[in-house]
Amino acid sequence: MKIYVDKIPEGGLESNEKIEPSALSLDEQTVINFIKPVDVKANVVKRGTEIFVDILLESPVEYTCAKCLSKFEGVFRKKFNVALEAKPGEIIELDNEIRQEIIVDYPMKVICKA
């Protein structure tokens, strides 16, 4: 996801984008299996040289049960904030931050039934 600093209006900017897991290098992770592209909704605000981004990630994923090893579908959701320092004319790339947040928040063990 790219943010063009000069294109952020005074009232902020809303951006919706779909990112393929392969673009985030998540296809190399055998544990994380997104069924569809990751839906990224971002609210971007610029204050002086600082950029504040509120991000919501959402995508259907296929989990493997830690007990019975059966596959089942669920939805991965993650809300987080990013604050960055930016210069006029700069292009901010958020794919690395998105990738890190997915890896950190992805559940280590998932169970299909209680």
Side-chain angles (χ1 to χ4, degrees), residues 64 72 74:
T64 301
F72 66 98

Side-chain angles (χ1 to χ4, degrees), residues 55-58 76-80 98 101-102 104-105:
I55 299 175
L56 173 64
L57 306 175
E58 192 171 66
F76 178 83
R77 280 188 191 93
K78 170 73 177 176
K79 206 176 208 184
F80 65 100
I98 292 170
E101 289 292 331
I102 290 171
V104 167
D105 205 51

Side-chain angles (χ1 to χ4, degrees), residues 53-92:
V53 187
D54 295 324
I55 299 175
L56 173 64
L57 306 175
E58 192 171 66
S59 182
V61 346
E62 182 180 73
Y63 292 112
T64 301
C65 180
K67 283 188 175 182
C68 69
L69 299 179
S70 65
K71 305 245 185 236
F72 66 98
E73 289 185 16
V75 177
F76 178 83
R77 280 188 191 93
K78 170 73 177 176
K79 206 176 208 184
F80 65 100
N81 305 311
V82 177
L84 304 161
E85 194 76 24
K87 298 174 187 157
E90 192 173 354
I91 300 171
I92 299 170

Side-chain angles (χ1 to χ4, degrees), residues 26-64:
L26 291 172
D27 55 348
E28 299 165 7
Q29 304 288 330
T30 56
V31 179
I32 301 174
N33 188 16
F34 286 99
I35 298 170
K36 294 182 179 178
V38 180
D39 187 27
V40 182
K41 295 177 183 172
N43 187 8
V44 184
V45 177
K46 178 170 67 170
R47 293 192 187 115
T49 61
E50 293 183 308
I51 308 295
F52 300 96
V53 187
D54 295 324
I55 299 175
L56 173 64
L57 306 175
E58 192 171 66
S59 182
V61 346
E62 182 180 73
Y63 292 112
T64 301

Side-chain angles (χ1 to χ4, degrees), residues 2-5 7-16 41-46 52-54:
K2 292 181 182 180
I3 297 173
Y4 297 85
V5 174
K7 293 185 179 181
I8 303 171
E10 192 173 308
L13 171 74
E14 285 191 24
S15 176
N16 294 321
K41 295 177 183 172
N43 187 8
V44 184
V45 177
K46 178 170 67 170
F52 300 96
V53 187
D54 295 324

